[in-house]
């Protein structure tokens, strides 16, 4: 039989911890961001607007060389996501457009094709094996953390892809800008990429690199 005193003490301890549980950590944009994310705003100052963001019904700007645009709902623009380990994005891919080869070093990505057909989605494993498939409306694909991946819209209608991430602030490294939008000397690039000088200069001019 449970002692009445033990029961009362347990109840008090449980109530104490329950009253100190913090349900969320709304980002405080007025304080510096650290490696663990944004500091928490006083929960008493949180409002429902901290947890809501509009704009996913509007196509993103695709007027670029890739014919691709992206609308994020990340911790930096949806403060209620801070610390929750999840985020969302909308990708718009015009006919003939691409989501160029890139990676998210700290996030797994789960995508669903909301509009469009004949969209090639794929990723490259660390053993250089390519996993790719033609995706149509309603199809879902998972892209493992840190692996290079891509999409190509070879269909006849614009594509809309929603992407969920396993972090509230995924970082991205685009392969082409990483290589050609920098000041790394062209002779070093020739040696490390096996591209010739004219190709490197052409790509640096396209992406804004120097040297």
């Amino acid at each position: 039989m449970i002692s009445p005193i033990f029961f009362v003490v347990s109840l008090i301890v449980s109530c104490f911890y329950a009253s100190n549980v913090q349900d969320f950590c709304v980002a405080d944009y007025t304080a510096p961001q650290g490696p663990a994310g944004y500091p928490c705003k006083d929960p008493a100052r949180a409002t429902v607007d901290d947890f809501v963001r509009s704009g996913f019904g509007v196509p993103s700007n695709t007027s670029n060389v890739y014919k691709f645009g992206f609308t994020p709902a990340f911790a930096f623009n949806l403060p209620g996501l801070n610390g929750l380990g999840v985020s969302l994005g909308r990708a718009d891919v015009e006919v003939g457009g691409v989501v160029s080869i890139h990676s998210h070093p700290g996030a797994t990505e789960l995508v669903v094709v909301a509009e469009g057909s004949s969209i090639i989605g794929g990723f490259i494993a660390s053993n250089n094996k390519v996993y790719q498939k033609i995706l149509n409306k309603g199809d879902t694909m998972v892209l493992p953390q840190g692996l290079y991946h891509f999409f190509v819209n070879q269909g006849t209608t614009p594509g809309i892809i929603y992407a969920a991430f396993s972090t509230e602030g995924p970082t991205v490294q685009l392969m082409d800008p990483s290589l050609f939008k920098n000041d790394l000397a062209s002779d070093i690039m020739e040696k490390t990429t096996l591209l010739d000088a004219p190709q490197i200069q052409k790509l640096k001019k396209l992406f804004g690199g120097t040297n």
Side-chain angles (χ1 to χ4, degrees):
M1 182 176 180
I2 299 177
S3 165
I5 296 176
F6 176 79
F7 176 78
V8 171
V9 171
S10 299
L11 183 62
I12 292 172
V13 170
S14 298
C15 291
F16 172 79
Y17 280 110
S19 66
N20 283 275
V21 170
Q22 188 164 325
D23 295 320
F24 46 77
C25 175
V26 173
D28 182 357
Y29 296 143
T30 65
Q33 183 181 11
Y38 294 96
C40 302
K41 183 166 72 173
D42 181 354
R45 296 193 296 113
T47 71
V48 67
D49 290 335
D50 290 321
F51 303 92
V52 178
R53 182 168 182 81
S54 301
F56 266 42
V58 180
S60 47
N61 184 6
T62 57
S63 58
N64 54 63
V65 67
Y66 295 115
K67 299 182 180 179
F68 157 75
F70 186 78
T71 302
F74 295 171
F76 74 82
N77 63 1
L78 182 53
L81 278 177
N82 189 49
L84 297 183
V86 66
S87 57
L88 188 68
R90 167 180 168 152
D92 290 274
V93 192
E94 297 293 339
V95 175
V98 302
V99 180
S100 66
I101 295 177
H102 65 286
S103 69
H104 304 289
T108 293
E109 182 177 356
L110 180 66
V111 303
V112 58
V113 178
E115 295 292 343
S117 61
S118 297
I119 298 174
I120 301 174
F123 64 89
I124 305 169
S126 56
N127 63 359
N128 300 319
K129 181 176 180 179
V130 178
Y131 295 83
Q132 69 176 44
K133 190 174 181 66
I134 294 176
L135 305 175
N136 298 299
K137 182 176 180 178
D139 289 343
T140 300
M141 186 174 195
V142 63
L143 306 164
Q145 176 176 318
L147 298 184
Y148 284 115
H149 53 278
F150 58 89
F151 294 94
V152 179
N153 186 358
Q154 62 175 8
T156 58
T157 59
I160 300 176
I161 302 171
Y162 288 106
F165 301 90
S166 61
T167 175
E168 66 270 17
T171 57
V172 60
Q173 185 166 24
L174 298 167
M175 180 177 287
D176 291 340
S178 293
L179 289 173
F180 304 109
K181 191 178 181 179
N182 58 55
D183 60 358
L184 183 62
S186 294
D187 61 332
I188 298 296
M189 295 197 68
E190 288 181 56
K191 294 179 175 67
T192 56
T193 65
L194 303 181
L195 297 173
D196 59 35
Q199 290 174 311
I200 291 172
Q201 289 303 314
K202 175 182 178 180
L203 290 167
K204 281 198 168 190
K205 183 177 180 180
L206 178 64
F207 290 101
T210 59
N211 291 340

